[in-house]
Amino acid sequence: MYMEESGKWTCMNGTNESKYIQQHLANERTFLAWIRTAIAIIGIGFLTTSLHYNSLQGDAVQDRIAVSISAVSIIIGLVIIIGSTVNYYRTRRHINTQTFVSADAFIKMMAIVATIVLIFVTVYFFILN
């Protein structure tokens, strides 16, 4: 929703986005970093499950834990993707209106999520041995 106005790109609400280009580029880099994080967390789940089912040992409890790690990792990855997309657009709007406030709650939530994944993987490997 942009229009060119005398050589400058202007948002339909009248904000000159080129005035805040560094902030918008930083916002995009942050969004892409969150996407890479989501892909890594999903990958951890698939890797754990793949390693489990390719090993020679295993029982019903270990099978359930491996599948749980994979399912939780996929759900967490999707939550990160959705949350980072919402955060990207919220930050973009705040940059344009000059009302930016850092995302404290989002950072705390992601720290908790990463800790949960780490705990699941650690429990799995202790039960495996």
Side-chain angles (χ1 to χ4, degrees):
M1 306 303 283
Y2 300 96
M3 61 184 178
E4 188 172 0
E5 198 174 274
S6 65
K8 294 182 181 178
W9 287 99
T10 305
C11 193
M12 293 301 272
N13 66 4
T15 304
N16 183 0
E17 285 206 346
S18 64
K19 185 176 175 181
Y20 308 109
I21 195 162
Q22 293 299 319
Q23 289 86 355
H24 286 295
L25 291 173
N27 189 28
E28 289 175 12
R29 286 190 299 271
T30 302
F31 172 72
L32 293 174
W34 279 115
I35 296 299
R36 285 190 301 270
T37 301
I39 291 169
I41 288 175
I42 292 170
I44 288 170
F46 283 122
L47 177 67
T48 303
T49 304
S50 175
L51 289 174
H52 171 73
Y53 285 111
N54 287 330
S55 70
L56 297 175
Q57 53 184 325
D59 61 13
V61 173
Q62 291 175 350
D63 291 348
R64 282 194 298 265
I65 291 173
V67 170
S68 297
I69 290 171
S70 182
V72 168
S73 294
I74 291 170
I75 291 168
I76 289 171
L78 290 174
V79 168
I80 291 172
I81 291 170
I82 292 167
S84 63
T85 303
V86 168
N87 189 52
Y88 169 78
Y89 283 107
R90 182 187 66 86
T91 302
R92 182 174 178 266
R93 184 180 67 246
H94 288 300
I95 288 170
N96 286 334
T97 59
Q98 297 180 350
T99 59
F100 177 76
V101 178
S102 63
D104 186 50
F106 187 68
I107 299 300
K108 288 177 184 174
M109 181 190 73
M110 293 316 305
I112 291 169
V113 164
T115 304
I116 289 170
V117 170
L118 181 63
I119 289 169
F120 270 128
V121 173
T122 304
V123 167
Y124 168 74
F125 282 116
F126 277 124
I127 288 177
L128 185 63
N129 292 325

